Amino acid sequence: MRHCSVQVRGLLTREELDRYNSLIEVGSFLEDQSQYDLAYIIQKEIDLLILPAIERLKDKGRARDRATAEYLKSLQEDNDSEDEEDEEGPSSV
């Protein structure tokens, strides 16, 4: 049986994780019994089960990318405003 990544497993709900662990156990038993045709069906069920968690992981990545872009944009704006102040020269007091 192929396991999903730790990141995906971490995003499974409790119900999904319980079902995942049960399916892995059944699939491993079937492989031990050389019932590869049935283990294939179990693997397909696992693949369907983890799809929502994969989407959650993608969403987290997209949110992280947006936050990074916003941070870099704010750094650039800060840098631009400092450059404008330097071009104005020393302020007369």
Side-chain angles (χ1 to χ4, degrees):
M1 300 299 320
R2 289 178 325 216
H3 288 275
C4 64
S5 71
V6 173
Q7 292 89 350
V8 171
R9 253 182 281 162
L11 294 175
L12 291 171
T13 64
R14 173 51 52 193
E15 183 179 305
E16 291 169 339
L17 185 60
D18 291 343
R19 183 166 166 75
Y20 172 84
N21 289 331
S22 298
L23 287 170
I24 287 289
E25 190 174 327
V26 169
S28 296
F29 173 79
L30 290 171
E31 285 180 341
D32 291 344
Q33 301 299 314
S34 298
Q35 296 288 319
Y36 299 108
D37 54 336
L38 297 175
Y40 174 79
I41 295 169
I42 298 296
Q43 184 64 56
K44 287 295 182 186
E45 281 296 312
I46 291 171
D47 293 344
L48 290 174
L49 175 67
I50 63 173
L51 285 177
I54 291 171
E55 285 303 314
R56 287 185 213 106
L57 184 62
K58 288 179 183 178
D59 290 342
K60 281 182 69 172
R62 289 183 198 113
R64 184 193 63 235
D65 291 345
R66 279 191 300 273
T68 301
E70 289 172 10
Y71 174 72
L72 292 175
K73 184 179 177 182
S74 71
L75 285 180
Q76 184 63 38
E77 289 171 354
D78 290 346
N79 194 17
D80 289 345
S81 66
E82 287 177 8
D83 288 346
E84 288 175 8
E85 289 174 7
D86 290 343
E87 289 175 4
E88 291 175 2
S91 59
S92 57
V93 179

